Structure formats: C-alpha cells, structure tokens
Amino acid sequence: MKVISDSNQIPLVERSLKTVWHPCTQMKHHESLPLIAITKGKGPWLFDEKGNALLDCISSWWTNLFGHSNPRINQAINNQLEKIEHVMLAGFTHPPVVELSERLAALTKGHLGHVFYASDGASAVEIALKMSHHFWRLNNKPEKKKFVCLENGYHGETLGALAVTDVAIFREAYGSLLQDVLTAPSPDARKAQAGESPEDIAKRAADALEKIFEAEHQNIAAIIIEPLVQCAGQMAMYSPEYLRLVRSLCDRFDIHLIADEIAVGCGRTGKFFSCEHAGIWPDFLTLSKGISGGYLPLSLSMTTDKIYRAFYGDKTQQGFLHSHSYTGNPLACAAALACLDIFESETVLEKNIERSKNLATEFAWAKADSRIEHWRQQGMILAFDIKLKSLERPNTFPREMFSANLREGMLIRPIGNTIYVMPPYILSADETAQMGASVKRALDQVLA
Ligand SMILES: *Cc1c(COP(=O)(O)O)cnc(C)c1O
C-alpha cells in the first residue's frame, strides 16, 4: 500500500493554505493534518504529484459516479466545447439542456415534466422552497409559507437551505439568521426499540408528522425530505413506507412534498430516483452532485405540470423570477447526458445490484465486530457506527480515522462515529475487497 507523503508537495500545499480557504474545515487543523494536493485522477483513483494513489471510496463528496477522467464524459464535454460553452438561458436555449430535460422528464414517466436549473445543490433546494410558496400565493393562500423538515436532515448551507437543515454543526453559528421551520421526527431505523421494525418507526414518525400537519397545515407550504437516506445526517436509513405515508399526508393536507435527491438520486440507492422504491412521486424533486458525473456544477429542481401552469400567465410577476448566471450550462448538461448514456448502455442499475452485494461481502467483518453497531446498506451506500463506548476520543475520531485510511491509500471521511463508503459505480471486485480490508486495518489502528 502506498503511503501518502507530503514532503514533495510543500510548495503547493503551503500556497493553498495561504490563499485558499477550504470548505467545511477548521483551517488550523491543517497544522497537524496534511492537506493533500491531487494532480490527477483515473477511474476510482486519485493521484498526488508523486504518484501516490488514493481510492476514492466516497466519490469525491458523493458526486463522482463513473470515475475520474472517464473517457465518455471527457469526450462529451470536449464535443460540446467545440460548439458552445455557455449561453444565458433567459430568452435562449440550446440542444443539451433540451435533451437533458426531456430525458429526465421521461425518467419520471412524465410526472415531473418541467425542469428548472441552477448550479449547486443548495440553489436547487432554494428554488423548490421558493416555487412552493409562490405557488400557494398564486392560489390565494399566501399564508402557506412555513416549511417542515426532518430532524437530522441536510439540504445545503445557503440561508434558505440551512433553515430546513437540522445538522447542528452547520447551523450553530447562523441560527439567528434563519427563518423558523417546523421539525418532525426522523424515521431513522436506528431508533428501533426491541421488537420494532423499520416500518414501525416509519409509522411512528408519520403519526408525529400528521399531528404537525393537523395543527399547522393552513400555514405550511411544503415538507422537504431526503428519500430513504439522510446522508449528511450520518447515513441514517429508513423504510420506504415512510415516503408512502408522507405522500398521502401531503395529499390530505394540501402540502407539497419536496424530495431532495441531490445525494440519493442518480442510482445511488438502487433505483434511478430514490422515491421509486416507494412507488411515489413528489411535487418537487431536486438533483445535483451525481447528475453531471461529478464533473461540473449542475443542479435542478423538477416539478409537475400543475405547478408549472400556476405560473403561466400574462403578468411578468406571475412567472418564477429566479435565475443564476450559469443556469443550464451547456458543458454541464453535456456531461449529464453522457452519464445518462452510460446508465443506459452499460445497464448500470442492474450491475449495481451485484456491486452492492460485493460491498456487503467485503464489509461483512463489520457486522460481526463487537465495537460496531447499526450496520446498514442501501444500494451503493454502506455504513456502520462505532459504539461510543469503544471510542476514547470521539471528537478526534473522524480525523484520526481519515488519517489512518490515508495511510492505507483510502479516501474515507467518517461523519462523527459513522464510517461509510459511497464509491463510484465502477469499482472492481478487487478494489472493493481492498477497500473492505483497508478500512478494517485502519479501524484496528485507531481503536488500538
Ligand atoms: C450535498 C447536498 C445538498 C447541497 O448541495 P451543494 O451542491 O453542496 O450545495 C443538498 N441536499 C442534500 C441532500 C445534499 O446531500
């Protein structure tokens, strides 16, 4: 296994630390935790300047589906680059955005036939929230302006998206800037008491949601959820039954359902859309991260004909007046189309069934490990928790585990006491085995 050494990278890394303010990072931690300069990627592997290799077990923050420097996606972007790199989408359109919208609409079987674009995931969430409230205003219900979100949910870090996020570390400093929301219990299957099934937890969480809807439905525009897996919330997984129950409550109380599939969409949980596991469609569905294969910033919010029509009229103000400079960027759309081509021509969803079985096999050791609890998997996400009593230093565990994995040549970033893998859909059986064994060795070192 190759060891990551930073000695030859000092110049680049030092320059970075001087001028680049890195995301989601206490910069001082880099006094002891080396920053890693990546100069190349190929397939699931990342390479530093000296050629040390790292297996990208978390798809570069859940974005990369088909590996780095994928020939088909590279080619698609290159082809598009020769035609038009960007043009504004107000008053103009272009082939990649039209084709992408048509294909995504078809994937929802026409249920969500209108696609609004942005660049990052948080913006797609902002769009869904704004559109939902605007819809109710246009329907003479301007008082419907509250949002319901789930305990432990994550929807991004701009102020609107952060308001419906319930992950303390992201909210702490900004609480006073955020609008009030209603928070419903998470259907997290880890909450099961003796004899309870995931469906029982789903039912219990939906009962609590029903009470909130009963009391407040006149003021509620929408509920926003992450279908099946609350990813940033320590990969909390839950029964699809919850989605069915929420769908029917939303119908009963005239409340929009926003399915944030930014992390769980694009095949991650086993279906192209996570909602398909429950056989329901939301009123809004957001995608980002994997949609461009991890190549370029692209996000979108899809919605129904009913909602689209409410905005259609003679008055400018009746329209949805929201825009981002790079809305529907042609290069990003071309990358997304190449990904959809790969899904089709390489029967990715079918092959992922086998790949997720491999994941389970290579991490079977963790199921039997007495230091570990809540082993869980949904498609191409596998996670487990280190029992808190097994952790001497819970606060520094994520960084220690990250470093131990680096020494093993693995890119793994625990969330609190949760270790997870979320690899690109191209890992070979050997690479999967290597990943399982390396994570075990790293854990043994950290807990020794
Ligand atoms: C990552 C994520 C977002 C935010 O996307 P950004 O591109 O980071 O703004 C929103 N919702 C979910 C579920 C996510 O995982």
Side-chain angles (χ1 to χ4, degrees), residues 129 145-151 155 163-164 180-185 208-209 212-213 216-217 219-225 242 255-258:
L129 297 174
K145 59 183 181 186
K146 277 196 187 170
F147 297 105
V148 180
C149 59
L150 296 190
E151 168 196 304
H155 301 286
V164 290
D180 283 337
V181 295
L182 299 160
T183 307
L209 181 64
I212 294 174
F213 279 9
E216 290 272 354
H217 65 96
N219 304 316
I220 297 174
I223 174 171
I224 182 164
I225 57 174
Y242 184 72
I255 289 169
H256 291 143
L257 173 56
I258 304 173

Side-chain angles (χ1 to χ4, degrees), residues 72-284:
R72 289 180 74 175
I73 306 174
N74 287 6
Q75 190 61 52
I77 294 172
N78 274 317
N79 290 349
Q80 184 56 41
L81 200 48
E82 297 297 327
K83 294 174 185 153
I84 174 77
E85 76 299 325
H86 184 63
V87 62
M88 61 195 283
L89 203 63
F92 295 86
T93 193
H94 53 78
V97 79
V98 174
E99 197 190 328
L100 181 59
S101 309
E102 288 173 350
R103 287 175 71 176
L104 287 171
L107 284 171
T108 70
K109 305 183 177 64
H111 284 95
L112 303 166
H114 302 275
V115 190
F116 198 101
Y117 289 88
S119 317
D120 54 78
S123 303
V125 168
E126 303 277 340
I127 287 163
L129 297 174
K130 282 175 72 179
M131 233 183 227
S132 171
H133 169 61
H134 196 162
F135 172 91
W136 296 119
R137 266 177 66 92
L138 293 169
N139 281 274
N140 297 319
K141 293 180 180 170
E143 66 286 354
K144 280 173 91 69
K145 59 183 181 186
K146 277 196 187 170
F147 297 105
V148 180
C149 59
L150 296 190
E151 168 196 304
N152 198 38
Y154 177 91
H155 301 286
E157 294 163 50
T158 55
L159 294 180
L162 191 58
V164 290
T165 286
D166 183 47
V167 178
I169 186 166
F170 299 120
R171 276 185 70 104
E172 246 162 27
Y174 314 106
S176 62
L177 303 181
L178 306 174
Q179 72 154 308
D180 283 337
V181 295
L182 299 160
T183 307
S186 163
D188 183 351
R190 290 177 300 179
K191 292 191 204 166
Q193 285 146 21
E196 271 188 322
S197 68
E199 290 70 36
D200 295 333
I201 311 291
K203 180 78 175 59
R204 185 142 49 90
D207 287 346
L209 181 64
E210 183 177 13
K211 296 215 169 69
I212 294 174
F213 279 9
E214 254 162 15
E216 290 272 354
H217 65 96
Q218 275 140 338
N219 304 316
I220 297 174
I223 174 171
I224 182 164
I225 57 174
E226 296 157 271
L228 291 195
V229 191
Q230 296 184 301
C231 293
Q234 297 191 301
M235 301 293 160
M237 298 185 186
Y238 63 85
S239 160
E241 180 61 12
Y242 184 72
L243 299 176
R244 286 187 283 270
L245 294 168
V246 173
R247 178 69 272 179
S248 79
L249 287 173
C250 285
D251 291 341
R252 197 170 115 212
F253 288 102
D254 227 8
I255 289 169
H256 291 143
L257 173 56
I258 304 173
D260 179 352
E261 299 226 4
I262 289 169
V264 295
C266 301
R268 184 50 73 181
T269 65
K271 308 260 186 203
F272 191 84
F273 299 111
S274 213
C275 281
E276 293 178 87
H277 289 280
I280 59 127
W281 293 107
D283 301 289
F284 297 91

